[in-house]
Amino acid sequence: MEASVVTALRTALGDAGLRVGDDIDARFCEDVLGQRGAVPLAVLRPATTADVSKALAICNDAGVAVVTQGGRTGLVRGCLPQSGEVVLTTERMNQVESVDADAGTAIVQSGVVLQALQERVEPMGLAFPLDLGGRGSCTIGGNVSTNAGGNRVIRYGMARDLILGLEAVLADGTVIDGLKPFVKNNTGFDLKQLFIGSEGVLGVVTRLVVRLIPKPTDTAVAFCGLRDFAQVRALLRHLRQRMGGELTAFEVLWKAYYTRFLAMKPGAGAMPDAHAFYVLTEASGSDGEALRARFERALADALEQGVIDDAVVAKSETEARALWHMRDLAIEVSRTLGPHVGFDVSLRIADMDAFAVDLAALARRLHPGAQTVVFGHAGDGNLHLAVARDVQVENSYAQVERAVYDLVARYGGSVSAEHGIGMTRRAYLGHTRTAQEIALMRALKRTMDPKNILNPERVLGVPG
Ligand code: ZN
């Protein structure tokens, strides 16, 4: 990078706002999976929206590419620097600016860590209902840029549903101030949605108005064994009807997942692995014993009607945590396959059973004896898959990837339900989105970032 650009950035951001050379910490080159990117030309550490605006204007004029980083917990290499890029980190923009308890909103800076926001509003009897494994280090800006999901989407929706307004900075430094706190605001295009889920390629999100909910005071958690997938679908219908808006999680584990969990943690399971499917379900509300009684009645009726074959209801918070633990160890359970490829796909719930059968056959066809693990947020139409690969076979990773995405496309599914496209899934965007949709995305990218400096090559690949 030219010395004049460094000087301009230092003048704009101050000494605390710029790191170059040996002062660049190694963490900016690495993501949560331990994957490494290039060493960036510089690390920009803006403290305000005005700083972001000035820094982007300088980089845009100089034609320097910028990759924006929050907590670096993304799973698709979107945040890792490519050679010749500078990093813009939101780590100094980490304040909850205000909370409006009456309206159930908060104004937050994009570098706020998810858990910090959750903990800040909890003593006020409020909750920010987005929740995922990376809560301790992922940022709201990253959650919104990737439209994060998690375990309670079935009740509260994805990040997209929890944002009322946002402020973002375009590549040339233009500030788009859309920080309106209104639920209803039908005044032209909903521009915030352009920035939500577009993985930072259209602008840098700087501040947000988030929705808060009254914090549920009580939860009830159960683990059920079922004999086939028709029963899984019947249980989802049953619980939706009986618990209504109190149903906050419906996670399904295929048998192979649970068997591997039991092998890894003998004695930690809730029941023997005698069933074909397992459902971890949760209801949340604010009337304690009555909630639990309704939940247990609904499960007892499901048992009586033959919808489920077995159920364990947590009697305490410790027991509830132990049931969730079986689901939370998904990464470790997948690792028991050995070398494998992970997926995060959306499918119609009506297709999931047949898809999983086809997936197992496909894995064996590619590599005799190869196993699969299937689990996920079935209530949202989202499955996570792990497919073993044979490291002896050249390009086994790409081979498994292509075969699985082709299968997903045949089912009319989505190649990414919640993790995003980033760098790793660019080649498969066309498996889910039409050529016309991708052309419109490219046109928006050219309009909002004509010099292609923001997260270049992520999501859309090389401009064409
Ligand atoms: Zn997930």
Side-chain angles (χ1 to χ4, degrees), residues 428-459:
Y428 299 101
L429 189 62
H431 273 50
T432 301
R433 308 302 293 265
T434 66
Q436 292 77 8
E437 284 181 299
I438 294 171
L440 181 55
M441 289 187 215
R442 286 190 193 282
L444 286 166
K445 171 73 169 165
R446 281 195 299 274
T447 298
M448 296 170 75
D449 178 15
K451 294 175 92 171
N452 191 30
I453 66 155
L454 294 178
N455 290 2
E457 296 184 34
R458 281 81 174 173
V459 186

Side-chain angles (χ1 to χ4, degrees), residues 379-395:
D380 313 322
N382 173 197
L383 292 183
H384 295 308
L385 322 167
V387 179
R389 64 189 178 90
D390 183 350
V391 287
Q392 308 299 328
V393 176
E394 205 188 340
N395 287 331

Side-chain angles (χ1 to χ4, degrees), residues 256-272:
Y257 179 110
Y258 190 57
T259 301
R260 285 174 180 277
F261 172 83
L262 290 183
M264 192 172 73
K265 299 259 173 191
M271 58 182 66

Side-chain angles (χ1 to χ4, degrees), residues 1 10 132 160 166 178 211 244 258 329 396:
M1 194 159 59
R10 195 177 296 284
L132 49 146
R160 192 183 292 290
L166 62 74
R211 290 179 97 138
Y258 190 57
L329 286 191
S396 67

Side-chain angles (χ1 to χ4, degrees), residues 25 64 175 258 319 398 440:
D25 199 291
V64 173
V175 177
Y258 190 57
E319 286 185 20
L440 181 55

